[in-house]
Amino acid sequence: AQSVSQHNHHVILSEAASLELGCNYSYGGTVNLFWYVQYPGQHLQLLLKYFSGDPLVKGIKGFEAEFIKSKFSFNLRKPSVQWSDTAEYFCAVKVYNNNDMRFGAGTRLTVKP
Amino acid sequence: GAGVSQSPSNKVTEKGKDVELRCDPISGHTALYWYRQRLGQGLEFLIYFQGNSAPDKSGLPSDRFSAERTGESVSTLTIQRTQQEDSAVYLCASSLMTSGLYEQYFGPGTRLTVT
């Protein structure tokens, strides 16, 4: 079945550590890729997105993600996390010309001050 | 500058009862999505509306689930004869267009608990 996989359920880091959250999908064809973030008590909001062009996309708050087509991956990275990055992160895939947006199960990030 | 709003924020209902959840999208957003998020799981697509076109109901899990939207305004998601497995957070999102080029803006969700 087509799916979006986020390998890490819960990640705990200290401030200033580097972050990489994995996301793999199983859809063929053209896809649009997204990372959403949900801070405690807040709505889901868009962190960054990829549609075409440079496979390395930069988002808000110093986050970036790299689309590797051959690996069907769209991993999220940040070189130095802050306590305020504590949140749940969701990877999402939208198949081109399809209304359906598929989300991963989410990764909870806890950053210790 | 209101965002997407949903009501109620919490709903507790007895098994077998019907419930109605409401979503007010951002004004001018033609596309509206409903998702379900069960505890510890990702968002599950339920239904999508785009303007006056026929909705995409491909994600609805059973015929107990239905949704309506009048034009480009409010949408209601109705669950009939609720079951315990319907317990989840129901999220609504709207965007300017269906194209993925347009960001989806999410509401705060309705937490449904079926006892």
Side-chain angles (χ1 to χ4, degrees), chain A residues 9 32 34 36 38 43-46 49 51 90 94 99-101 103-105, chain B residues 33 35 37 41-43 45 48 56 91 98 100-101 103-104 106-108:
Chain A
H9 180 64
N32 303 143
F34 307 80
Y36 280 83
Q38 188 168 27
H43 305 182
L44 270 165
Q45 58 185 281
L46 184 69
K49 59 189 176 187
F51 290 93
F90 293 91
K94 187 177 184 299
N99 301 322
D100 189 349
M101 180 100 100
F103 283 78
Chain B
Y33 302 76
Y35 296 90
Q37 185 178 23
Q41 299 185 23
L43 279 68
F45 168 79
Y48 153 83
D56 178 348
L91 290 165
T98 177
L101 288 171
E103 174 182 352
Q104 291 187 26
F106 283 83

PDB file of all heavy atoms in Angstrom, chain A residues 9 32 34 36 38 43-46 49 51 90 94 99-101 103-105, chain B residues 33 35 37 41-43 45 48 56 91 98 100-101 103-104 106-108:
ATOM      1  N   HIS A   9       9.752   7.768  16.177  1.00  0.00           N
ATOM      2  CA  HIS A   9       8.515   8.170  16.862  1.00  0.00           C
ATOM      3  C   HIS A   9       8.786   9.321  17.812  1.00  0.00           C
ATOM      4  O   HIS A   9       7.997  10.268  17.890  1.00  0.00           O
ATOM      5  CB  HIS A   9       7.940   6.969  17.602  1.00  0.00           C
ATOM      6  CG  HIS A   9       6.679   7.262  18.328  1.00  0.00           C
ATOM      7  ND1 HIS A   9       5.517   7.625  17.673  1.00  0.00           N
ATOM      8  CD2 HIS A   9       6.370   7.283  19.638  1.00  0.00           C
ATOM      9  CE1 HIS A   9       4.558   7.838  18.555  1.00  0.00           C
ATOM     10  NE2 HIS A   9       5.050   7.645  19.757  1.00  0.00           N
ATOM     11  N   ASN A  32       4.441  16.134  -4.598  1.00  0.00           N
ATOM     12  CA  ASN A  32       4.755  17.344  -3.856  1.00  0.00           C
ATOM     13  C   ASN A  32       5.001  16.911  -2.412  1.00  0.00           C
ATOM     14  O   ASN A  32       4.264  16.080  -1.882  1.00  0.00           O
ATOM     15  CB  ASN A  32       3.603  18.351  -3.901  1.00  0.00           C
ATOM     16  CG  ASN A  32       3.208  18.746  -5.315  1.00  0.00           C
ATOM     17  OD1 ASN A  32       2.036  18.935  -5.622  1.00  0.00           O
ATOM     18  ND2 ASN A  32       4.181  18.883  -6.185  1.00  0.00           N
ATOM     19  N   PHE A  34       5.986  17.847   1.756  1.00  0.00           N
ATOM     20  CA  PHE A  34       5.782  18.859   2.773  1.00  0.00           C
ATOM     21  C   PHE A  34       6.290  18.371   4.128  1.00  0.00           C
ATOM     22  O   PHE A  34       6.260  17.174   4.417  1.00  0.00           O
ATOM     23  CB  PHE A  34       4.285  19.188   2.946  1.00  0.00           C
ATOM     24  CG  PHE A  34       3.570  19.562   1.686  1.00  0.00           C
ATOM     25  CD1 PHE A  34       3.136  18.592   0.792  1.00  0.00           C
ATOM     26  CD2 PHE A  34       3.302  20.885   1.393  1.00  0.00           C
ATOM     27  CE1 PHE A  34       2.467  18.933  -0.376  1.00  0.00           C
ATOM     28  CE2 PHE A  34       2.627  21.233   0.229  1.00  0.00           C
ATOM     29  CZ  PHE A  34       2.213  20.262  -0.645  1.00  0.00           C
ATOM     30  N   TYR A  36       5.179  19.568   8.011  1.00  0.00           N
ATOM     31  CA  TYR A  36       4.358  20.405   8.874  1.00  0.00           C
ATOM     32  C   TYR A  36       4.848  20.244  10.309  1.00  0.00           C
ATOM     33  O   TYR A  36       5.381  19.199  10.699  1.00  0.00           O
ATOM     34  CB  TYR A  36       2.885  19.985   8.807  1.00  0.00           C
ATOM     35  CG  TYR A  36       2.144  20.506   7.605  1.00  0.00           C
ATOM     36  CD1 TYR A  36       2.209  19.850   6.380  1.00  0.00           C
ATOM     37  CD2 TYR A  36       1.369  21.655   7.688  1.00  0.00           C
ATOM     38  CE1 TYR A  36       1.517  20.333   5.277  1.00  0.00           C
ATOM     39  CE2 TYR A  36       0.671  22.143   6.590  1.00  0.00           C
ATOM     40  CZ  TYR A  36       0.756  21.474   5.389  1.00  0.00           C
ATOM     41  OH  TYR A  36       0.069  21.953   4.305  1.00  0.00           O
ATOM     42  N   GLN A  38       3.727  20.986  14.519  1.00  0.00           N
ATOM     43  CA  GLN A  38       2.685  21.349  15.480  1.00  0.00           C
ATOM     44  C   GLN A  38       3.341  21.601  16.832  1.00  0.00           C
ATOM     45  O   GLN A  38       3.782  20.654  17.503  1.00  0.00           O
ATOM     46  CB  GLN A  38       1.634  20.254  15.595  1.00  0.00           C
ATOM     47  CG  GLN A  38       0.432  20.653  16.424  1.00  0.00           C
ATOM     48  CD  GLN A  38      -0.721  19.678  16.286  1.00  0.00           C
ATOM     49  OE1 GLN A  38      -0.536  18.502  16.006  1.00  0.00           O
ATOM     50  NE2 GLN A  38      -1.933  20.160  16.490  1.00  0.00           N
ATOM     51  N   HIS A  43      -1.848  25.075  16.234  1.00  0.00           N
ATOM     52  CA  HIS A  43      -2.316  24.383  15.041  1.00  0.00           C
ATOM     53  C   HIS A  43      -1.129  23.831  14.257  1.00  0.00           C
ATOM     54  O   HIS A  43       0.000  24.291  14.399  1.00  0.00           O
ATOM     55  CB  HIS A  43      -3.050  25.354  14.106  1.00  0.00           C
ATOM     56  CG  HIS A  43      -4.171  26.081  14.740  1.00  0.00           C
ATOM     57  ND1 HIS A  43      -4.960  26.954  14.041  1.00  0.00           N
ATOM     58  CD2 HIS A  43      -4.648  26.075  16.000  1.00  0.00           C
ATOM     59  CE1 HIS A  43      -5.871  27.446  14.852  1.00  0.00           C
ATOM     60  NE2 HIS A  43      -5.712  26.933  16.035  1.00  0.00           N
ATOM     61  N   LEU A  44      -1.412  22.888  13.412  1.00  0.00           N
ATOM     62  CA  LEU A  44      -0.441  22.449  12.426  1.00  0.00           C
ATOM     63  C   LEU A  44      -0.089  23.615  11.515  1.00  0.00           C
ATOM     64  O   LEU A  44      -0.973  24.347  11.067  1.00  0.00           O
ATOM     65  CB  LEU A  44      -1.040  21.341  11.553  1.00  0.00           C
ATOM     66  CG  LEU A  44      -0.869  19.905  12.013  1.00  0.00           C
ATOM     67  CD1 LEU A  44      -1.816  19.002  11.241  1.00  0.00           C
ATOM     68  CD2 LEU A  44       0.562  19.450  11.818  1.00  0.00           C
ATOM     69  N   GLN A  45       1.192  23.776  11.216  1.00  0.00           N
ATOM     70  CA  GLN A  45       1.584  24.837  10.288  1.00  0.00           C
ATOM     71  C   GLN A  45       2.688  24.334   9.371  1.00  0.00           C
ATOM     72  O   GLN A  45       3.460  23.438   9.726  1.00  0.00           O
ATOM     73  CB  GLN A  45       2.017  26.100  11.033  1.00  0.00           C
ATOM     74  CG  GLN A  45       3.159  25.908  11.994  1.00  0.00           C
ATOM     75  CD  GLN A  45       3.444  27.167  12.779  1.00  0.00           C
ATOM     76  OE1 GLN A  45       4.079  28.079  12.283  1.00  0.00           O
ATOM     77  NE2 GLN A  45       2.974  27.221  14.002  1.00  0.00           N
ATOM     78  N   LEU A  46       2.768  24.936   8.190  1.00  0.00           N
ATOM     79  CA  LEU A  46       3.724  24.492   7.193  1.00  0.00           C
ATOM     80  C   LEU A  46       5.130  24.943   7.567  1.00  0.00           C
ATOM     81  O   LEU A  46       5.359  26.103   7.905  1.00  0.00           O
ATOM     82  CB  LEU A  46       3.346  25.068   5.826  1.00  0.00           C
ATOM     83  CG  LEU A  46       4.205  24.627   4.653  1.00  0.00           C
ATOM     84  CD1 LEU A  46       3.955  23.151   4.367  1.00  0.00           C
ATOM     85  CD2 LEU A  46       3.890  25.461   3.420  1.00  0.00           C
ATOM     86  N   LYS A  49       8.215  23.143   1.892  1.00  0.00           N
ATOM     87  CA  LYS A  49       7.596  22.317   0.851  1.00  0.00           C
ATOM     88  C   LYS A  49       8.529  22.214  -0.345  1.00  0.00           C
ATOM     89  O   LYS A  49       9.339  23.103  -0.606  1.00  0.00           O
ATOM     90  CB  LYS A  49       6.251  22.895   0.424  1.00  0.00           C
ATOM     91  CG  LYS A  49       6.335  24.315  -0.122  1.00  0.00           C
ATOM     92  CD  LYS A  49       4.950  24.912  -0.320  1.00  0.00           C
ATOM     93  CE  LYS A  49       5.053  26.354  -0.778  1.00  0.00           C
ATOM     94  NZ  LYS A  49       3.737  27.031  -0.828  1.00  0.00           N
ATOM     95  N   PHE A  51       8.333  21.298  -4.583  1.00  0.00           N
ATOM     96  CA  PHE A  51       7.529  21.022  -5.771  1.00  0.00           C
ATOM     97  C   PHE A  51       8.392  20.632  -6.947  1.00  0.00           C
ATOM     98  O   PHE A  51       8.086  19.692  -7.671  1.00  0.00           O
ATOM     99  CB  PHE A  51       6.674  22.243  -6.140  1.00  0.00           C
ATOM    100  CG  PHE A  51       5.585  22.477  -5.157  1.00  0.00           C
ATOM    101  CD1 PHE A  51       5.763  23.341  -4.093  1.00  0.00           C
ATOM    102  CD2 PHE A  51       4.384  21.813  -5.267  1.00  0.00           C
ATOM    103  CE1 PHE A  51       4.772  23.529  -3.166  1.00  0.00           C
ATOM    104  CE2 PHE A  51       3.383  22.003  -4.337  1.00  0.00           C
ATOM    105  CZ  PHE A  51       3.577  22.865  -3.281  1.00  0.00           C
ATOM    106  N   PHE A  90       5.424  16.453  11.096  1.00  0.00           N
ATOM    107  CA  PHE A  90       4.732  15.538  10.183  1.00  0.00           C
ATOM    108  C   PHE A  90       5.239  15.734   8.758  1.00  0.00           C
ATOM    109  O   PHE A  90       5.272  16.854   8.253  1.00  0.00           O
ATOM    110  CB  PHE A  90       3.221  15.799  10.193  1.00  0.00           C
ATOM    111  CG  PHE A  90       2.546  15.470  11.491  1.00  0.00           C
ATOM    112  CD1 PHE A  90       2.402  16.437  12.474  1.00  0.00           C
ATOM    113  CD2 PHE A  90       2.054  14.202  11.727  1.00  0.00           C
ATOM    114  CE1 PHE A  90       1.778  16.145  13.677  1.00  0.00           C
ATOM    115  CE2 PHE A  90       1.415  13.901  12.925  1.00  0.00           C
ATOM    116  CZ  PHE A  90       1.292  14.881  13.903  1.00  0.00           C
ATOM    117  N   LYS A  94       1.825  14.728  -1.428  1.00  0.00           N
ATOM    118  CA  LYS A  94       0.648  14.910  -2.280  1.00  0.00           C
ATOM    119  C   LYS A  94       1.025  14.450  -3.678  1.00  0.00           C
ATOM    120  O   LYS A  94       1.949  14.979  -4.284  1.00  0.00           O
ATOM    121  CB  LYS A  94       0.212  16.368  -2.283  1.00  0.00           C
ATOM    122  CG  LYS A  94      -1.104  16.619  -3.001  1.00  0.00           C
ATOM    123  CD  LYS A  94      -1.500  18.083  -2.892  1.00  0.00           C
ATOM    124  CE  LYS A  94      -2.854  18.341  -3.528  1.00  0.00           C
ATOM    125  NZ  LYS A  94      -2.886  18.033  -4.962  1.00  0.00           N
ATOM    126  N   ASN A  99      -6.179  14.821  -5.122  1.00  0.00           N
ATOM    127  CA  ASN A  99      -6.599  15.662  -4.005  1.00  0.00           C
ATOM    128  C   ASN A  99      -6.085  15.167  -2.659  1.00  0.00           C
ATOM    129  O   ASN A  99      -6.103  15.878  -1.676  1.00  0.00           O
ATOM    130  CB  ASN A  99      -8.130  15.708  -3.942  1.00  0.00           C
ATOM    131  CG  ASN A  99      -8.718  16.259  -5.220  1.00  0.00           C
ATOM    132  OD1 ASN A  99      -8.171  17.182  -5.809  1.00  0.00           O
ATOM    133  ND2 ASN A  99      -9.825  15.694  -5.663  1.00  0.00           N
ATOM    134  N   ASP A 100      -5.666  13.932  -2.630  1.00  0.00           N
ATOM    135  CA  ASP A 100      -5.334  13.254  -1.379  1.00  0.00           C
ATOM    136  C   ASP A 100      -3.942  13.641  -0.899  1.00  0.00           C
ATOM    137  O   ASP A 100      -2.966  13.523  -1.625  1.00  0.00           O
ATOM    138  CB  ASP A 100      -5.409  11.752  -1.651  1.00  0.00           C
ATOM    139  CG  ASP A 100      -5.305  10.918  -0.402  1.00  0.00           C
ATOM    140  OD1 ASP A 100      -4.970  11.476   0.651  1.00  0.00           O
ATOM    141  OD2 ASP A 100      -5.559   9.707  -0.509  1.00  0.00           O
ATOM    142  N   MET A 101      -3.857  14.121   0.331  1.00  0.00           N
ATOM    143  CA  MET A 101      -2.571  14.405   0.953  1.00  0.00           C
ATOM    144  C   MET A 101      -2.348  13.325   2.005  1.00  0.00           C
ATOM    145  O   MET A 101      -3.178  13.140   2.885  1.00  0.00           O
ATOM    146  CB  MET A 101      -2.583  15.783   1.627  1.00  0.00           C
ATOM    147  CG  MET A 101      -1.273  16.141   2.296  1.00  0.00           C
ATOM    148  SD  MET A 101      -0.277  17.223   1.285  1.00  0.00           S
ATOM    149  CE  MET A 101      -0.658  18.781   2.079  1.00  0.00           C
ATOM    150  N   PHE A 103      -0.202  11.782   5.132  1.00  0.00           N
ATOM    151  CA  PHE A 103       0.691  12.194   6.200  1.00  0.00           C
ATOM    152  C   PHE A 103       1.357  10.996   6.852  1.00  0.00           C
ATOM    153  O   PHE A 103       0.767   9.910   6.953  1.00  0.00           O
ATOM    154  CB  PHE A 103      -0.101  12.948   7.286  1.00  0.00           C
ATOM    155  CG  PHE A 103      -0.458  14.368   6.926  1.00  0.00           C
ATOM    156  CD1 PHE A 103      -1.507  14.628   6.075  1.00  0.00           C
ATOM    157  CD2 PHE A 103       0.265  15.420   7.443  1.00  0.00           C
ATOM    158  CE1 PHE A 103      -1.843  15.939   5.749  1.00  0.00           C
ATOM    159  CE2 PHE A 103      -0.060  16.734   7.126  1.00  0.00           C
ATOM    160  CZ  PHE A 103      -1.114  16.993   6.281  1.00  0.00           C
ATOM    161  N   GLY A 104       2.579  11.213   7.332  1.00  0.00           N
ATOM    162  CA  GLY A 104       3.216  10.227   8.176  1.00  0.00           C
ATOM    163  C   GLY A 104       2.644  10.282   9.581  1.00  0.00           C
ATOM    164  O   GLY A 104       1.845  11.161   9.894  1.00  0.00           O
ATOM    165  N   ALA A 105       3.067   9.341  10.418  1.00  0.00           N
ATOM    166  CA  ALA A 105       2.536   9.238  11.776  1.00  0.00           C
ATOM    167  C   ALA A 105       3.064  10.324  12.698  1.00  0.00           C
ATOM    168  O   ALA A 105       2.556  10.510  13.799  1.00  0.00           O
ATOM    169  CB  ALA A 105       2.852   7.865  12.356  1.00  0.00           C
TER     170      ALA A 105
ATOM    171  N   TYR B  33     -10.510  20.654   3.294  1.00  0.00           N
ATOM    172  CA  TYR B  33     -10.179  19.252   3.559  1.00  0.00           C
ATOM    173  C   TYR B  33     -10.612  18.883   4.981  1.00  0.00           C
ATOM    174  O   TYR B  33     -10.505  19.690   5.902  1.00  0.00           O
ATOM    175  CB  TYR B  33      -8.666  19.016   3.476  1.00  0.00           C
ATOM    176  CG  TYR B  33      -8.015  19.370   2.169  1.00  0.00           C
ATOM    177  CD1 TYR B  33      -7.760  20.690   1.814  1.00  0.00           C
ATOM    178  CD2 TYR B  33      -7.615  18.370   1.281  1.00  0.00           C
ATOM    179  CE1 TYR B  33      -7.145  21.006   0.625  1.00  0.00           C
ATOM    180  CE2 TYR B  33      -6.980  18.675   0.087  1.00  0.00           C
ATOM    181  CZ  TYR B  33      -6.755  19.996  -0.234  1.00  0.00           C
ATOM    182  OH  TYR B  33      -6.139  20.302  -1.415  1.00  0.00           O
ATOM    183  N   TYR B  35      -9.650  15.843   7.834  1.00  0.00           N
ATOM    184  CA  TYR B  35      -8.737  14.757   8.186  1.00  0.00           C
ATOM    185  C   TYR B  35      -9.147  14.190   9.542  1.00  0.00           C
ATOM    186  O   TYR B  35      -9.764  14.869  10.364  1.00  0.00           O
ATOM    187  CB  TYR B  35      -7.296  15.262   8.303  1.00  0.00           C
ATOM    188  CG  TYR B  35      -6.678  15.796   7.044  1.00  0.00           C
ATOM    189  CD1 TYR B  35      -6.786  17.139   6.701  1.00  0.00           C
ATOM    190  CD2 TYR B  35      -5.968  14.958   6.184  1.00  0.00           C
ATOM    191  CE1 TYR B  35      -6.212  17.633   5.553  1.00  0.00           C
ATOM    192  CE2 TYR B  35      -5.382  15.450   5.032  1.00  0.00           C
ATOM    193  CZ  TYR B  35      -5.512  16.787   4.722  1.00  0.00           C
ATOM    194  OH  TYR B  35      -4.935  17.273   3.571  1.00  0.00           O
ATOM    195  N   GLN B  37      -7.313  12.217  12.897  1.00  0.00           N
ATOM    196  CA  GLN B  37      -6.047  11.838  13.509  1.00  0.00           C
ATOM    197  C   GLN B  37      -6.333  11.027  14.754  1.00  0.00           C
ATOM    198  O   GLN B  37      -6.783  11.564  15.776  1.00  0.00           O
ATOM    199  CB  GLN B  37      -5.213  13.073  13.868  1.00  0.00           C
ATOM    200  CG  GLN B  37      -3.835  12.731  14.398  1.00  0.00           C
ATOM    201  CD  GLN B  37      -3.000  13.950  14.707  1.00  0.00           C
ATOM    202  OE1 GLN B  37      -3.528  15.036  14.930  1.00  0.00           O
ATOM    203  NE2 GLN B  37      -1.697  13.786  14.724  1.00  0.00           N
ATOM    204  N   GLN B  41      -1.174   8.400  15.636  1.00  0.00           N
ATOM    205  CA  GLN B  41      -1.115   8.136  14.210  1.00  0.00           C
ATOM    206  C   GLN B  41      -1.063   9.434  13.419  1.00  0.00           C
ATOM    207  O   GLN B  41      -1.297  10.517  13.960  1.00  0.00           O
ATOM    208  CB  GLN B  41      -2.319   7.298  13.776  1.00  0.00           C
ATOM    209  CG  GLN B  41      -2.377   5.934  14.460  1.00  0.00           C
ATOM    210  CD  GLN B  41      -3.504   5.082  13.932  1.00  0.00           C
ATOM    211  OE1 GLN B  41      -3.982   5.273  12.812  1.00  0.00           O
ATOM    212  NE2 GLN B  41      -3.944   4.123  14.735  1.00  0.00           N
ATOM    213  N   GLY B  42      -0.769   9.314  12.157  1.00  0.00           N
ATOM    214  CA  GLY B  42      -0.751  10.478  11.281  1.00  0.00           C
ATOM    215  C   GLY B  42      -2.142  10.905  10.893  1.00  0.00           C
ATOM    216  O   GLY B  42      -3.137  10.322  11.314  1.00  0.00           O
ATOM    217  N   LEU B  43      -2.226  11.939  10.089  1.00  0.00           N
ATOM    218  CA  LEU B  43      -3.507  12.433   9.618  1.00  0.00           C
ATOM    219  C   LEU B  43      -4.021  11.554   8.491  1.00  0.00           C
ATOM    220  O   LEU B  43      -3.292  11.207   7.574  1.00  0.00           O
ATOM    221  CB  LEU B  43      -3.375  13.875   9.116  1.00  0.00           C
ATOM    222  CG  LEU B  43      -3.383  14.965  10.173  1.00  0.00           C
ATOM    223  CD1 LEU B  43      -2.147  14.935  11.033  1.00  0.00           C
ATOM    224  CD2 LEU B  43      -3.554  16.328   9.527  1.00  0.00           C
ATOM    225  N   PHE B  45      -6.701  11.333   5.489  1.00  0.00           N
ATOM    226  CA  PHE B  45      -7.578  12.125   4.622  1.00  0.00           C
ATOM    227  C   PHE B  45      -8.986  11.543   4.607  1.00  0.00           C
ATOM    228  O   PHE B  45      -9.165  10.332   4.457  1.00  0.00           O
ATOM    229  CB  PHE B  45      -6.986  12.130   3.212  1.00  0.00           C
ATOM    230  CG  PHE B  45      -7.909  12.657   2.142  1.00  0.00           C
ATOM    231  CD1 PHE B  45      -8.093  14.012   1.982  1.00  0.00           C
ATOM    232  CD2 PHE B  45      -8.579  11.776   1.301  1.00  0.00           C
ATOM    233  CE1 PHE B  45      -8.934  14.490   0.979  1.00  0.00           C
ATOM    234  CE2 PHE B  45      -9.416  12.252   0.304  1.00  0.00           C
ATOM    235  CZ  PHE B  45      -9.589  13.610   0.146  1.00  0.00           C
ATOM    236  N   TYR B  48     -12.616  16.030   0.521  1.00  0.00           N
ATOM    237  CA  TYR B  48     -12.093  17.283  -0.006  1.00  0.00           C
ATOM    238  C   TYR B  48     -13.178  17.980  -0.817  1.00  0.00           C
ATOM    239  O   TYR B  48     -13.902  17.342  -1.576  1.00  0.00           O
ATOM    240  CB  TYR B  48     -10.876  16.953  -0.871  1.00  0.00           C
ATOM    241  CG  TYR B  48     -10.597  17.933  -1.968  1.00  0.00           C
ATOM    242  CD1 TYR B  48      -9.889  19.094  -1.702  1.00  0.00           C
ATOM    243  CD2 TYR B  48     -11.031  17.684  -3.259  1.00  0.00           C
ATOM    244  CE1 TYR B  48      -9.638  19.993  -2.702  1.00  0.00           C
ATOM    245  CE2 TYR B  48     -10.775  18.586  -4.261  1.00  0.00           C
ATOM    246  CZ  TYR B  48     -10.071  19.741  -3.984  1.00  0.00           C
ATOM    247  OH  TYR B  48      -9.829  20.639  -4.974  1.00  0.00           O
ATOM    248  N   ASP B  56     -14.535  15.113  -3.301  1.00  0.00           N
ATOM    249  CA  ASP B  56     -13.792  13.857  -3.354  1.00  0.00           C
ATOM    250  C   ASP B  56     -14.003  13.149  -2.018  1.00  0.00           C
ATOM    251  O   ASP B  56     -13.428  13.553  -1.017  1.00  0.00           O
ATOM    252  CB  ASP B  56     -12.310  14.144  -3.603  1.00  0.00           C
ATOM    253  CG  ASP B  56     -11.455  12.887  -3.634  1.00  0.00           C
ATOM    254  OD1 ASP B  56     -11.936  11.800  -3.241  1.00  0.00           O
ATOM    255  OD2 ASP B  56     -10.290  12.992  -4.042  1.00  0.00           O
ATOM    256  N   LEU B  91      -9.624  17.156  12.034  1.00  0.00           N
ATOM    257  CA  LEU B  91      -9.008  18.404  11.613  1.00  0.00           C
ATOM    258  C   LEU B  91      -9.576  18.857  10.279  1.00  0.00           C
ATOM    259  O   LEU B  91      -9.823  18.057   9.386  1.00  0.00           O
ATOM    260  CB  LEU B  91      -7.499  18.228  11.470  1.00  0.00           C
ATOM    261  CG  LEU B  91      -6.717  18.034  12.769  1.00  0.00           C
ATOM    262  CD1 LEU B  91      -5.324  17.525  12.479  1.00  0.00           C
ATOM    263  CD2 LEU B  91      -6.632  19.337  13.541  1.00  0.00           C
ATOM    264  N   THR B  98      -6.790  23.843  -4.913  1.00  0.00           N
ATOM    265  CA  THR B  98      -6.463  22.447  -4.674  1.00  0.00           C
ATOM    266  C   THR B  98      -5.008  22.143  -4.955  1.00  0.00           C
ATOM    267  O   THR B  98      -4.433  21.234  -4.385  1.00  0.00           O
ATOM    268  CB  THR B  98      -7.327  21.526  -5.546  1.00  0.00           C
ATOM    269  OG1 THR B  98      -6.930  20.176  -5.333  1.00  0.00           O
ATOM    270  CG2 THR B  98      -7.124  21.845  -7.018  1.00  0.00           C
ATOM    271  N   GLY B 100      -1.207  21.727  -4.962  1.00  0.00           N
ATOM    272  CA  GLY B 100      -0.292  21.664  -3.835  1.00  0.00           C
ATOM    273  C   GLY B 100       0.562  22.901  -3.690  1.00  0.00           C
ATOM    274  O   GLY B 100       1.239  23.066  -2.681  1.00  0.00           O
ATOM    275  N   LEU B 101       0.518  23.773  -4.709  1.00  0.00           N
ATOM    276  CA  LEU B 101       1.269  25.007  -4.610  1.00  0.00           C
ATOM    277  C   LEU B 101       0.756  25.877  -3.480  1.00  0.00           C
ATOM    278  O   LEU B 101       1.442  26.772  -3.022  1.00  0.00           O
ATOM    279  CB  LEU B 101       1.177  25.780  -5.936  1.00  0.00           C
ATOM    280  CG  LEU B 101       1.957  25.198  -7.098  1.00  0.00           C
ATOM    281  CD1 LEU B 101       1.611  25.924  -8.384  1.00  0.00           C
ATOM    282  CD2 LEU B 101       3.451  25.306  -6.836  1.00  0.00           C
ATOM    283  N   GLU B 103      -0.584  26.411   0.278  1.00  0.00           N
ATOM    284  CA  GLU B 103      -0.464  25.839   1.604  1.00  0.00           C
ATOM    285  C   GLU B 103      -1.831  25.565   2.194  1.00  0.00           C
ATOM    286  O   GLU B 103      -2.766  26.334   2.020  1.00  0.00           O
ATOM    287  CB  GLU B 103       0.279  26.830   2.485  1.00  0.00           C
ATOM    288  CG  GLU B 103       0.385  26.460   3.951  1.00  0.00           C
ATOM    289  CD  GLU B 103       1.099  27.528   4.747  1.00  0.00           C
ATOM    290  OE1 GLU B 103       1.639  28.460   4.129  1.00  0.00           O
ATOM    291  OE2 GLU B 103       1.099  27.437   5.977  1.00  0.00           O
ATOM    292  N   GLN B 104      -1.927  24.454   2.923  1.00  0.00           N
ATOM    293  CA  GLN B 104      -3.133  24.165   3.677  1.00  0.00           C
ATOM    294  C   GLN B 104      -3.012  24.793   5.054  1.00  0.00           C
ATOM    295  O   GLN B 104      -2.004  24.622   5.730  1.00  0.00           O
ATOM    296  CB  GLN B 104      -3.346  22.657   3.808  1.00  0.00           C
ATOM    297  CG  GLN B 104      -3.709  21.989   2.500  1.00  0.00           C
ATOM    298  CD  GLN B 104      -4.081  20.535   2.674  1.00  0.00           C
ATOM    299  OE1 GLN B 104      -4.526  20.110   3.743  1.00  0.00           O
ATOM    300  NE2 GLN B 104      -3.931  19.761   1.621  1.00  0.00           N
ATOM    301  N   PHE B 106      -4.530  24.832   8.778  1.00  0.00           N
ATOM    302  CA  PHE B 106      -5.291  23.913   9.617  1.00  0.00           C
ATOM    303  C   PHE B 106      -6.015  24.645  10.748  1.00  0.00           C
ATOM    304  O   PHE B 106      -5.523  25.630  11.289  1.00  0.00           O
ATOM    305  CB  PHE B 106      -4.365  22.861  10.223  1.00  0.00           C
ATOM    306  CG  PHE B 106      -3.981  21.785   9.256  1.00  0.00           C
ATOM    307  CD1 PHE B 106      -2.944  21.963   8.368  1.00  0.00           C
ATOM    308  CD2 PHE B 106      -4.679  20.587   9.228  1.00  0.00           C
ATOM    309  CE1 PHE B 106      -2.593  20.969   7.452  1.00  0.00           C
ATOM    310  CE2 PHE B 106      -4.344  19.591   8.331  1.00  0.00           C
ATOM    311  CZ  PHE B 106      -3.297  19.781   7.438  1.00  0.00           C
ATOM    312  N   GLY B 107      -7.162  24.098  11.104  1.00  0.00           N
ATOM    313  CA  GLY B 107      -7.875  24.548  12.283  1.00  0.00           C
ATOM    314  C   GLY B 107      -7.361  23.826  13.514  1.00  0.00           C
ATOM    315  O   GLY B 107      -6.483  22.958  13.409  1.00  0.00           O
ATOM    316  N   PRO B 108      -7.908  24.156  14.671  1.00  0.00           N
ATOM    317  CA  PRO B 108      -7.425  23.566  15.923  1.00  0.00           C
ATOM    318  C   PRO B 108      -7.919  22.144  16.157  1.00  0.00           C
ATOM    319  O   PRO B 108      -7.416  21.445  17.028  1.00  0.00           O
ATOM    320  CB  PRO B 108      -7.993  24.503  16.993  1.00  0.00           C
ATOM    321  CG  PRO B 108      -9.208  25.074  16.356  1.00  0.00           C
ATOM    322  CD  PRO B 108      -8.905  25.198  14.894  1.00  0.00           C
TER     323      PRO B 108
END
